[in-house]
Amino acid sequence: MTFKDQITFVRRNMKKNRLRVFMTVLATTMACAFLIVLASVGFGVHKSVTEEFTSHQLLTEIRVYGKQDGPHHSNITEEDVSSLKETDQVQAVVTRKYYPAMFDVQYDDRKAGVQGIVTNMEEEVKGNLRLQEGNVPKDKEEVLVGYHLAQNLLTAEERKELEAYYVDSETNSRPKGLEESLLGETITIELKSYEEDDVMETFTFTVAGVTEEPAKDWMEDSSVYISESFRSHLDEVFAEVIHEDEPLFHDVLVYVDGIQNVQSVTNVLKESQFMVYSITEELDKVNLFFAAFKIGLIFVGTVAILIASIGIFNTMTMAVTERTQEIGIMKALGANPHLIRKMFLIESAYIGMIGTFIGIVLSFAVSFLANTFIPLLLEALLEEGGMTDFHFSYIPMSLVIIAAFISIGVAMISGMRPAIKATNINVLTALRREL
């Protein structure tokens, strides 16, 4: 008997008891779908948490907070920056400095209070800074501006509209600000002390480029990036304000040439007494927690499949009992016991595969509905936005393979005992059995 004949024989026998087989397949479908949907919650939350981590910091980024010198802590110096740049696998070292003043940007009759960042432009571009338009400043009189600076440049009338919007956002609309690009335009920056409203200094810059829009909708970049060559001028302006122990750089960011090298570079910097932080260290802990969490969910889902396997066992046991005479005839005609056992295992596997396939399709549908409607429901209840980016359910291919392997494997194991029973049927007893 060929394999094709065996499949035809199995399908014919299954059609004789359609209702019983249907209920067994339904139980397998629900169990498989329950396993996938339950585990997908763990995968979904894990994916969302990881994306939230990486939205704040690149995986290849290492933050350096200073240097540990025995019990003492020292700030990063120019020599330390040079040492960081010479470290193997380091792609860029970005240094940023902030000043204790409000940077008031003026363009025509528009104004916006922003943060001024003094940085090394070339290292920024080699690191993570991307431009929406324009080029990297090549002169200290040129600057980069954040993607949202233009829309935050408001006239006096628009500032009143913005205040009204913050009071009642339902009836008032937010002003759009400047809708034209600032590229190539000249802007004036007034430095104002936080404590007093007096203008400390006024500078004029040309906008050489505009940074790329942030990846998240809720993130906003209205900063002005000033060339490091302008730092000495600003230091003179703030000479009486800046304390002696003020760090030379407030942010030192090391960018590695690949995520696979982050851990090794982190270890090298720690050995050199640098105080560092890498998101990969946190992700390792997060991944360990969610690995255990997902294994637990898969285990609970497997229990449901084991319960469904009782139905498969009963169905196959009944099938063997009902086909006792048929099995006896096959054995009398010389059928190999191995062939008889194989046919019953094929039938149990067939039930498992049908239930698994339908369960996988059903689980993807449930996952889609959960990710579509649960965020909308939570936003309506909590009256807060931003939930649509959260993954409440995520089904990777690995989960589908695991669920299919467990479901079909349990189905075949459930059919093993009835299949063995079929091969042990006595021929004479089977032939004397009445239909």
Side-chain angles (χ1 to χ4, degrees), residues 201-256:
E201 192 74 37
T202 301
F203 303 106
T204 301
F205 295 101
T206 301
V207 177
V210 180
T211 63
E212 195 173 64
E213 182 179 9
K216 298 290 185 180
D217 293 338
W218 50 267
M219 298 177 72
E220 186 173 293
D221 183 10
S222 299
S223 303
V224 175
Y225 298 83
I226 303 172
S227 175
E228 193 176 37
S229 58
F230 204 79
R231 191 178 71 196
S232 58
H233 195 159
L234 289 173
D235 285 343
E236 292 177 4
V237 175
F238 290 92
E240 297 180 0
V241 180
I242 298 177
H243 300 289
E244 292 183 1
D245 58 348
E246 186 78 14
L248 183 62
F249 308 108
H250 293 96
D251 285 340
V252 179
L253 310 175
V254 175
Y255 291 94
V256 184

Side-chain angles (χ1 to χ4, degrees), residues 64 77-95 120-124 126 228 249 252-255 265 269 274:
V64 182
T77 63
E78 294 279 8
E79 291 76 15
D80 293 329
V81 173
S82 299
S83 174
L84 292 171
K85 290 180 179 179
E86 292 172 0
T87 306
D88 292 337
Q89 282 88 46
V90 169
Q91 179 175 299
V93 178
V94 174
T95 57
N120 43 354
M121 296 293 183
E122 292 183 359
E123 294 294 313
E124 285 276 7
K126 285 196 296 182
E228 193 176 37
F249 308 108
V252 179
L253 310 175
V254 175
Y255 291 94
V265 173
L269 296 183
F274 286 104

Side-chain angles (χ1 to χ4, degrees), residues 154-391:
L154 306 176
T155 62
E157 185 63 30
E158 287 175 334
R159 282 195 290 274
K160 294 179 181 179
E161 294 177 8
L162 183 63
E163 292 175 2
Y165 170 78
Y166 286 140
V167 173
D168 187 0
S169 59
E170 294 184 0
T171 57
N172 297 298
S173 59
R174 180 168 182 166
K176 296 182 179 180
L178 181 66
E179 298 187 47
E180 293 81 19
S181 173
L182 284 170
L183 184 64
E185 300 294 336
T186 300
I187 60 174
T188 302
I189 296 181
E190 291 183 347
L191 299 183
K192 290 184 178 180
S193 172
Y194 287 125
E195 299 177 358
E196 300 177 3
D197 200 32
D198 297 335
V199 177
M200 302 172 64
E201 192 74 37
T202 301
F203 303 106
T204 301
F205 295 101
T206 301
V207 177
V210 180
T211 63
E212 195 173 64
E213 182 179 9
K216 298 290 185 180
D217 293 338
W218 50 267
M219 298 177 72
E220 186 173 293
D221 183 10
S222 299
S223 303
V224 175
Y225 298 83
I226 303 172
S227 175
E228 193 176 37
S229 58
F230 204 79
R231 191 178 71 196
S232 58
H233 195 159
L234 289 173
D235 285 343
E236 292 177 4
V237 175
F238 290 92
E240 297 180 0
V241 180
I242 298 177
H243 300 289
E244 292 183 1
D245 58 348
E246 186 78 14
L248 183 62
F249 308 108
H250 293 96
D251 285 340
V252 179
L253 310 175
V254 175
Y255 291 94
V256 184
D257 58 8
I259 187 174
Q260 69 278 4
N261 299 320
V262 173
Q263 191 59 51
S264 61
V265 173
T266 301
N267 293 335
V268 169
L269 296 183
K270 286 183 177 179
E271 291 174 0
S272 300
Q273 304 303 314
F274 286 104
M275 301 168 61
V276 300
Y277 167 78
S278 169
I279 193 174
T280 55
E281 296 178 335
E282 293 295 329
L283 284 179
D284 287 341
K285 299 175 184 177
V286 170
N287 291 337
L288 179 62
F289 168 78
F290 277 103
F293 181 55
K294 288 182 283 190
I295 290 172
L297 293 177
I298 291 174
F299 176 77
V300 174
T302 303
V303 173
I305 292 179
L306 291 174
I307 295 173
S309 69
I310 298 174
I312 298 177
F313 177 81
N314 290 335
T315 298
M316 297 309 302
T317 301
M318 289 296 297
V320 171
T321 303
E322 292 172 353
R323 298 180 213 163
T324 299
Q325 189 174 57
E326 188 177 321
I327 294 170
I329 294 172
M330 291 176 64
K331 296 183 74 172
L333 293 176
N336 193 316
H338 173 71
L339 176 64
I340 296 173
R341 183 170 65 248
K342 182 180 177 182
M343 290 173 59
F344 280 94
L345 286 176
I346 290 175
E347 185 171 339
S348 62
Y350 197 69
I351 292 173
M353 285 189 289
I354 294 175
T356 299
F357 175 76
I358 300 174
I360 291 172
V361 175
L362 180 62
S363 62
F364 272 101
V366 172
S367 177
F368 173 78
L369 293 174
N371 288 327
T372 302
F373 292 105
I374 291 180
L376 298 177
L377 180 62
L378 291 178
E379 286 185 357
L381 292 175
L382 301 176
E383 296 182 354
E384 292 183 4
M387 298 297 296
T388 52
D389 292 333
F390 195 89
H391 298 276

Side-chain angles (χ1 to χ4, degrees), residues 54-105:
T54 55
S55 68
H56 294 283
Q57 183 178 342
L58 280 179
L59 292 176
T60 56
E61 180 182 290
I62 302 174
R63 294 180 178 269
V64 182
Y65 294 100
K67 202 167 184 180
Q68 192 73 34
D69 185 14
H72 304 289
H73 163 263
S74 59
N75 296 319
I76 298 297
T77 63
E78 294 279 8
E79 291 76 15
D80 293 329
V81 173
S82 299
S83 174
L84 292 171
K85 290 180 179 179
E86 292 172 0
T87 306
D88 292 337
Q89 282 88 46
V90 169
Q91 179 175 299
V93 178
V94 174
T95 57
R96 295 175 179 173
K97 185 167 185 176
Y98 309 98
Y99 289 90
M102 176 65 72
F103 285 63
D104 272 358
V105 177

Side-chain angles (χ1 to χ4, degrees), residues 6-61:
Q6 295 174 38
I7 295 295
T8 303
F9 184 76
V10 167
R11 294 182 64 182
R12 187 194 69 187
N13 289 326
M14 290 175 65
K15 289 180 180 178
K16 291 180 180 179
N17 296 285
R18 293 182 179 179
L19 181 59
R20 187 168 64 205
V21 172
F22 170 77
M23 296 303 295
T24 306
V25 170
L26 180 61
T28 306
T29 298
M30 299 304 294
C32 181
F34 176 76
L35 166 60
I36 296 177
V37 172
L38 184 65
S40 73
V41 175
F43 282 91
V45 175
H46 186 194
K47 181 179 175 67
S48 297
V49 170
T50 302
E51 289 179 351
E52 183 66 22
F53 267 98
T54 55
S55 68
H56 294 283
Q57 183 178 342
L58 280 179
L59 292 176
T60 56
E61 180 182 290

